[in-house]
Amino acid sequence: MIERTTIAFFGRTNAGKSSLINALTSQEVSIVSDIKGTTTDPVKKVMELLPIGPVTIVDTPGFDDTTELAVERIKRTAQVLNATQLAVVVLDASYTELSDGEKNIILELQKRKIPFIIAVNKCDSYVSSNIQQSFSKLNIPQVCIIDVSAKNNTNINELKNKLGELYKSRKGIQNRPLVKDLVNPGEVVVLVIPIDEAAPRDRIILPQQMVLRELLDNGSIPVCCTPQNLEHTLKVIKNEPALVITDSQAFGEVSKILSKDIRLTSFSILMARYKGNFNASLDAVKQINNLKAGDKVLISEGCTHHRQCGDIGTVKIPKAIKKLCGTEPVFDFSSGSTFPEDLSCYKIVVHCGGCMLNENEMKNRAERAKEQKVSFTNYGMVLAQANGLLERSMKVFDTAKNGE
């Protein structure tokens, strides 16, 4: 399963970030103007960019913005870093030295191990050799510097190709299996998908789509049904399925129908493994039993869906937690891109599968919790634990061909 790669462009106001993005994508993604501060908020464009494939391009405000809203805009630019997987730092070829903003962003990219390119724009109007000398003082090994001109399309293809090379060199989620290492080609896998008030109209949610597609690519045979039709589905397929994957909310209902020798797990648990925080989430979920009255719990979702009666995040997860610990913790909630910087007041963070967040965003959230000594676990694991199914749902991974 290929996830969109987030490529962010950083630089001073009027360095030519927006012009360079438009040249790179051959589209008018961003507004271009000589007026300082034209880009006032991060601008995102979802598209295909060869040789990488599906990407999200992010044009950020200049970090030397001096308008009244500068502090908030710079804060939002900093937040973009949490999702950035590849970066382009844009300099104007007329610069004679790096500003503090450029030094800080480069050092932050290094710290986070985010691959980046320095694009020296307007190379057809100025000599960029002076600015290149500034990098030796920053101790940046093998920094990639490309002279470009958005105006005349100079070296734009070279910039694309270099981004492609950086993408291929990344070791991460693009090579991590979601489900294909758990089953063989030709084996039947039953996907239990509730269709209720919480289900999006006329579609199924992203983790279900991702699992379905990967099974098809693997040559396995996915069979989809609702919890209400599961028993009939098992009779129709006659032979026992190699695996059943359920929505976490239906764990209890599904487990009552299945014989105990049929392997069972959930979409959310698969996402925890796919996003790379599986083992830590498994360790953390067992600590819920030790929560005391008044302990604070943060329940966080990566999307901003409309909450309804019986909502999983605000109703079902708190109910499951109270069942496990036998007391009354205090619950806070966050959704979308909103995630607290300070987590120190919480005993544990319980997060959704993160299908709407890329690997870096999920990793940053989990690492932020770890740095502040706060446990971080997953919706599916909490609901499995509450239904007495955690051990069963983990056995699925014992024979995984590629480990975690």
Side-chain angles (χ1 to χ4, degrees):
M1 181 68 197
I2 297 177
E3 192 175 75
R4 287 192 179 276
T5 300
T6 298
I7 307 174
F9 286 68
F10 301 96
R12 300 184 215 176
T13 53
N14 284 67
K17 299 186 298 297
S18 300
S19 298
L20 188 56
I21 289 173
N22 290 348
L24 188 73
T25 61
S26 300
Q27 298 181 33
E28 291 189 7
V29 174
S30 300
I31 299 173
V32 176
S33 170
D34 291 332
I35 300 173
K36 276 197 171 187
T38 302
T39 304
T40 57
D41 288 297
V43 176
K44 296 182 180 181
K45 173 69 174 179
V46 174
M47 61 178 299
E48 293 278 331
L49 181 68
L50 295 177
I52 296 174
V55 299
T56 300
I57 301 286
V58 186
D59 186 5
T60 64
F63 41 62
D64 59 334
D65 188 355
T66 57
T67 65
E68 292 181 7
L69 294 176
V71 174
E72 185 60 32
R73 287 171 181 163
I74 292 172
K75 180 180 177 182
R76 292 192 183 187
T77 296
Q79 289 175 344
V80 170
L81 278 167
N82 291 332
T84 300
Q85 294 163 294
L86 298 176
V88 179
V89 180
V90 183
L91 310 178
D92 189 307
S94 66
Y95 298 165
T96 57
E97 61 180 2
L98 296 174
S99 69
D100 288 342
E102 285 145 358
K103 291 176 184 177
N104 290 338
I105 200 74
I106 289 169
L107 292 173
E108 189 64 26
L109 290 169
Q110 279 189 298
K111 177 183 175 183
R112 295 174 182 240
K113 298 181 181 179
I114 299 172
F116 66 94
I117 296 170
I118 304 294
V120 184
N121 196 19
K122 307 175 187 177
C123 68
D124 49 350
S125 301
Y126 303 94
V127 177
S128 63
S129 57
N130 292 334
I131 193 64
Q132 294 190 24
Q133 295 174 4
S134 301
F135 292 101
S136 59
K137 302 175 184 177
L138 280 180
N139 191 28
I140 305 176
Q142 299 179 330
V143 60
C144 177
I145 304 174
I146 300 179
D147 287 344
V148 298
S149 171
K151 182 179 180 180
N152 295 323
N153 281 323
T154 304
N155 291 338
I156 297 301
N157 282 334
E158 285 78 356
L159 178 57
K160 282 185 185 179
N161 291 334
K162 192 61 186 178
L163 284 169
E165 290 175 18
L166 290 181
Y167 169 78
K168 290 178 182 178
S169 69
R170 290 176 58 240
K171 294 180 180 179
I173 203 165
Q174 68 268 26
N175 298 316
R176 188 177 299 141
L178 179 59
V179 66
K180 65 185 179 181
D181 62 329
L182 305 178
V183 293
N184 297 313
E187 290 185 326
V188 174
V189 181
V190 175
L191 309 182
V192 185
I193 302 172
I195 303 298
D196 51 26
E197 290 183 355
R201 183 178 176 182
D202 299 329
R203 58 191 175 90
I204 60 176
I205 62 175
L206 186 56
Q208 296 160 0
Q209 296 177 43
M210 293 168 67
V211 168
L212 179 59
R213 177 56 194 261
E214 188 165 300
L215 288 171
L216 291 171
D217 289 340
N218 190 52
S220 303
I221 305 171
V223 176
C224 302
C225 67
T226 62
Q228 296 83 355
N229 287 327
L230 175 58
E231 194 167 1
H232 178 65
T233 300
L234 294 173
K235 292 177 181 177
V236 169
I237 62 176
K238 297 181 181 179
N239 295 327
E240 285 190 352
L243 175 64
V244 174
I245 305 170
T246 181
D247 186 288
S248 300
Q249 300 177 72
F251 252 137
E253 183 179 356
V254 169
S255 67
K256 292 175 182 176
I257 297 171
L258 298 179
S259 62
K260 292 186 178 180
D261 59 334
I262 295 178
R263 297 191 303 161
L264 171 66
T265 194
S266 78
F267 295 103
S268 184
I269 290 173
L270 290 176
M271 290 299 293
R273 187 178 74 131
Y274 182 66
K275 295 290 183 177
N277 56 353
F278 184 81
N279 288 332
S281 295
L282 182 57
D283 291 339
V285 73
K286 299 169 185 177
Q287 300 174 26
I288 291 178
N289 298 54
N290 301 322
L291 289 173
K292 298 179 177 60
D295 283 347
K296 295 192 71 175
V297 177
L298 176 65
I299 299 176
S300 186
E301 294 186 346
C303 61
T304 54
H305 68 272
H306 178 69
R307 299 190 187 278
Q308 302 182 34
C309 179
D311 176 69
I312 183 171
T314 56
V315 178
K316 293 180 180 178
I317 294 294
K319 184 178 178 180
I321 291 173
K322 287 189 280 188
K323 176 183 176 181
L324 287 168
C325 66
T327 187
E328 292 286 334
V330 175
F331 297 101
D332 286 344
F333 305 92
S334 72
S335 61
S337 60
T338 302
F339 190 76
E341 290 289 335
D342 184 5
L343 299 169
S344 60
C345 63
Y346 299 107
K347 288 290 184 180
I348 191 166
V349 175
V350 181
H351 207 288
C352 71
C355 65
M356 300 306 294
L357 304 175
N358 68 30
E359 182 186 16
N360 282 28
E361 289 174 288
M362 283 297 292
K363 181 180 177 181
N364 284 325
R365 292 185 178 196
E367 287 186 349
R368 191 180 308 170
K370 183 178 179 181
E371 288 169 1
Q372 298 179 46
K373 296 180 171 56
V374 178
S375 299
F376 187 96
T377 193
N378 167 273
Y379 274 21
M381 292 186 183
V382 170
L383 291 170
Q385 178 86 317
N387 283 283
L389 296 168
L390 185 62
E391 184 178 352
R392 180 178 182 180
S393 64
M394 293 301 116
K395 284 183 178 178
V396 171
F397 305 101
D398 289 348
T399 56
K401 303 182 185 73
N402 295 300
E404 185 191 351

